[in-house]
Amino acid sequence: MLNASKALSSQSSVKKTIVGFFHPYCNAGGGGEVVLWSAVAYMQKTEPDVLCVVYTGDKDATKEQIIAKVKSRFDIDLNPTSLSFVWLNTRRFVDASTWPRITLLGQSLGSVILAIEAIDALVPDVFIDSMGYAFTFPLVALTSRFFCPISIGSYVHYPTISTDMLQRVKDRKAGHTNTDAVTKSKWKSTVKLLYYHVFAFLYSFCLLCAHKIVVNSSWTKNHIDSLLETARERRRWITNSPPSITGGVHILYPPCGMDKLRVFSLEGRQRIILSVAQFRPEKEHAVQIRAFKLFLDAQPKLRSSVDSVRLVLIGGCRTEEDERRVEDLKKLAKELGVQDNIEFVVNAPYSVLLDWFSKSSVGISTMVDEHFGINVVEYMAAGLIPLVNASGGPFSDIVIPYSDGGKPQPTGFHAKSPEDYATALEDIFVRSSVEDLAAIRERARASSLQRFANDEFEKGWSGFWGALKDWSELQKSKGAGGKRSKKD
């Protein structure tokens, strides 16, 4: 395996700017990885004097295998000569299974351990966290202050903690981050609320160490802005980022490769409800299965007739825990008696995903407070009718009314409970006319293509990268320097 120090030595004749992407699960194949590899591809295309280095714990794959998977899964081409990896041995410390209790704090502290290993292996000129490990920023900032200058950037997909999470605990409302054992106990809820407030304080402190932050949606921006403002009010002396560099938090929608999706016909779709999401707890796949059960109970003729409706769940499994989750979902489908109408497709290549996009009718997403929702954008571009949770990015940024000159009209459906989802499915498959559904598909596709194309992401990333590059060059002009890598 090629590590970063070897890449540096092989290109020693040319002074390279090292951009380190901290992404411990770079081979996962989800929405976060779309951003990572699109950013790397853009840097390779526009910055010939940059070496992109990915800090990752995916030691079970080689560089060549990762590049091949990126091509297969996302249709993104990477240049191996300007891409290197630092293989990390301590990724278990950021795995949720390592921290069955105080998971947020455990994973965050674990990310510091992982970052120590990363920085010890190779000190970059620019450090970009693209997975949400803000607790690494103080460590990088200290390295920057005492050893060599490092500009710190962050692409935030999802705030590690949000005011919504705090409110959910305060209201004692159950969810995947707030179990029944906690909601049913007043003292446990009180302790957890205190824990969340302390964690939010620490998290906001870490965010202030970044020189530039971009986020993926207005929902995420609102929460990050709130955390940063509270931190600044309490501790004005903490920030070490000049206002001219920070420039506030900006929205940078994730890249959504739609060239191969926009060509699919809007007609002749099969009666398939498509779910595209990694098999993680926050994706709430069980809600989809329960809603599908309610829908079939209300419309029994759609269970086994020639007009039968199927639910197809496509997603990636990162860990054994994810694989067990798929088995649990299959058991749930069997318990509810809908297993004959449900299909699971795990770790599918991009070509298989495209096939499902081309023939499905509805795209469903059930995650509460979804930060953005690349899958939802893909649904719309491919001609599917989106049915999403009435929260987060899908509700505020994506499935919103669209106008081509007249009065804005709906581009999809929103729901909150399994009952809501079942009702919406009835609206789509039973109560809506063919003409109305065709109009929704057309508006959804037009809206997605107008706002979420790859070139829009590249424009935004150019500004983000420019701010980090300016800070780095400013420090170099002051004569700051230091040892980049212990292995050089």
Side-chain angles (χ1 to χ4, degrees), residues 311-487:
L311 171 62
V312 178
L313 296 93
I314 300 180
C317 287
R318 301 184 303 177
T319 64
E320 291 183 1
E321 185 179 3
D322 289 347
E323 293 173 358
R324 289 193 297 269
R325 190 169 295 111
V326 173
E327 293 305 312
D328 289 341
L329 290 170
K330 290 180 179 179
K331 291 178 182 178
L332 175 62
K334 189 173 183 178
E335 290 172 3
L336 296 178
V338 294
Q339 71 275 15
D340 292 338
N341 294 74
I342 294 181
E343 183 174 347
F344 292 84
V345 182
V346 181
N347 294 330
Y350 191 61
S351 58
V352 172
L353 183 60
L354 286 176
D355 182 56
W356 285 107
F357 274 134
S358 70
K359 60 189 178 185
S360 299
S361 292
V362 176
I364 190 170
S365 174
T366 45
M367 180 175 172
V368 178
D369 294 336
E370 170 75 89
H371 38 88
F372 179 70
I374 288 179
N375 58 332
V376 178
V377 176
E378 291 176 331
Y379 293 157
M380 296 166 70
L384 283 70
I385 295 174
L387 170 54
V388 302
N389 193 271
S391 67
F395 182 72
S396 301
D397 295 284
I398 305 175
V399 187
I400 59 176
Y402 174 78
S403 171
D404 57 359
K407 181 181 178 181
Q409 298 291 328
T411 56
F413 295 79
H414 307 107
K416 287 191 174 182
S417 66
E419 292 77 12
D420 292 341
Y421 279 96
T423 299
L425 289 173
E426 288 189 79
D427 288 338
I428 295 169
F429 286 105
V430 180
R431 290 188 278 266
S432 296
S433 68
V434 174
E435 293 76 18
D436 286 343
L437 294 179
I440 292 176
R441 294 184 198 279
E442 290 176 358
R443 288 193 296 268
R445 172 172 283 178
S447 176
S448 65
L449 294 177
Q450 180 176 307
R451 296 183 295 130
F452 305 116
N454 276 355
D455 57 350
E456 292 300 316
F457 171 80
E458 292 185 349
K459 290 177 185 176
W461 187 269
S462 176
F464 173 61
W465 161 245
L468 296 174
K469 184 178 181 180
D470 288 346
W471 188 92
S472 180
E473 291 180 349
L474 177 64
Q475 300 308 305
K476 290 178 181 178
S477 69
K478 293 178 180 179
K483 190 175 181 180
R484 280 203 307 199
S485 172
K486 292 186 177 183
K487 296 181 180 179

Side-chain angles (χ1 to χ4, degrees), residues 43-110:
M43 300 288 284
Q44 291 182 330
K45 181 172 62 176
T46 61
E47 299 288 341
D49 293 331
V50 164
L51 173 66
C52 293
V53 176
V54 179
Y55 298 103
T56 181
D58 290 304
K59 298 191 301 176
D60 57 341
T62 64
K63 174 181 177 178
E64 292 73 22
Q65 288 172 334
I66 291 175
I67 291 175
K69 182 174 179 179
V70 171
K71 175 62 177 177
S72 171
R73 176 66 181 86
F74 305 124
D75 197 30
I76 295 175
D77 293 301
L78 298 174
N79 181 356
T81 61
S82 57
L83 172 64
S84 190
F85 294 85
V86 171
W87 309 97
L88 305 175
N89 298 305
T90 53
R91 191 177 69 177
R92 65 185 182 279
F93 290 112
V94 297
D95 195 315
S97 62
T98 304
W99 310 95
R101 298 289 183 270
I102 59 168
T103 307
L104 287 181
L105 183 60
Q107 287 182 295
S108 297
L109 295 178

Side-chain angles (χ1 to χ4, degrees), residues 15-214:
K15 176 66 174 178
K16 292 286 185 178
T17 297
I18 301 177
V19 179
F21 290 86
F22 191 74
H23 206 106
Y25 293 92
C26 75
N27 204 32
E33 288 67 58
V34 174
V35 172
L36 167 67
W37 297 121
S38 296
V40 170
Y42 173 76
M43 300 288 284
Q44 291 182 330
K45 181 172 62 176
T46 61
E47 299 288 341
D49 293 331
V50 164
L51 173 66
C52 293
V53 176
V54 179
Y55 298 103
T56 181
D58 290 304
K59 298 191 301 176
D60 57 341
T62 64
K63 174 181 177 178
E64 292 73 22
Q65 288 172 334
I66 291 175
I67 291 175
K69 182 174 179 179
V70 171
K71 175 62 177 177
S72 171
R73 176 66 181 86
F74 305 124
D75 197 30
I76 295 175
D77 293 301
L78 298 174
N79 181 356
T81 61
S82 57
L83 172 64
S84 190
F85 294 85
V86 171
W87 309 97
L88 305 175
N89 298 305
T90 53
R91 191 177 69 177
R92 65 185 182 279
F93 290 112
V94 297
D95 195 315
S97 62
T98 304
W99 310 95
R101 298 289 183 270
I102 59 168
T103 307
L104 287 181
L105 183 60
Q107 287 182 295
S108 297
L109 295 178
S111 71
V112 178
I113 297 174
L114 201 61
I116 290 173
E117 181 186 358
I119 298 300
D120 182 63
L122 179 70
V123 180
D125 297 295
V126 179
F127 179 92
I128 299 176
D129 165 52
S130 48
M131 272 200 77
Y133 294 114
F135 275 58
T136 63
F137 299 166
L139 171 70
V140 180
L142 287 172
T143 304
S144 176
R145 181 171 182 178
F146 294 108
F147 296 98
C148 57
I150 308 171
S151 55
I152 304 171
S154 176
Y155 188 100
V156 181
H157 296 273
Y158 194 85
T160 306
I161 193 163
S162 66
T163 53
D164 288 347
M165 292 170 65
L166 292 167
Q167 192 63 45
R168 204 169 292 129
V169 175
K170 185 177 181 180
D171 295 341
R172 297 170 68 179
K173 183 178 179 181
H176 79 273
T177 61
N178 200 37
T179 64
D180 289 338
V182 174
T183 59
K184 293 177 180 178
S185 171
K186 184 176 181 179
W187 76 267
K188 287 183 179 180
S189 294
T190 301
V191 170
K192 185 168 185 176
L193 186 60
L194 176 61
Y195 159 56
Y196 269 15
H197 276 292
V198 172
F199 183 87
F201 182 82
L202 296 173
Y203 178 57
S204 63
F205 163 80
C206 294
L207 288 172
L208 282 175
C209 293
H211 298 108
K212 186 66 180 178
I213 296 175
V214 290

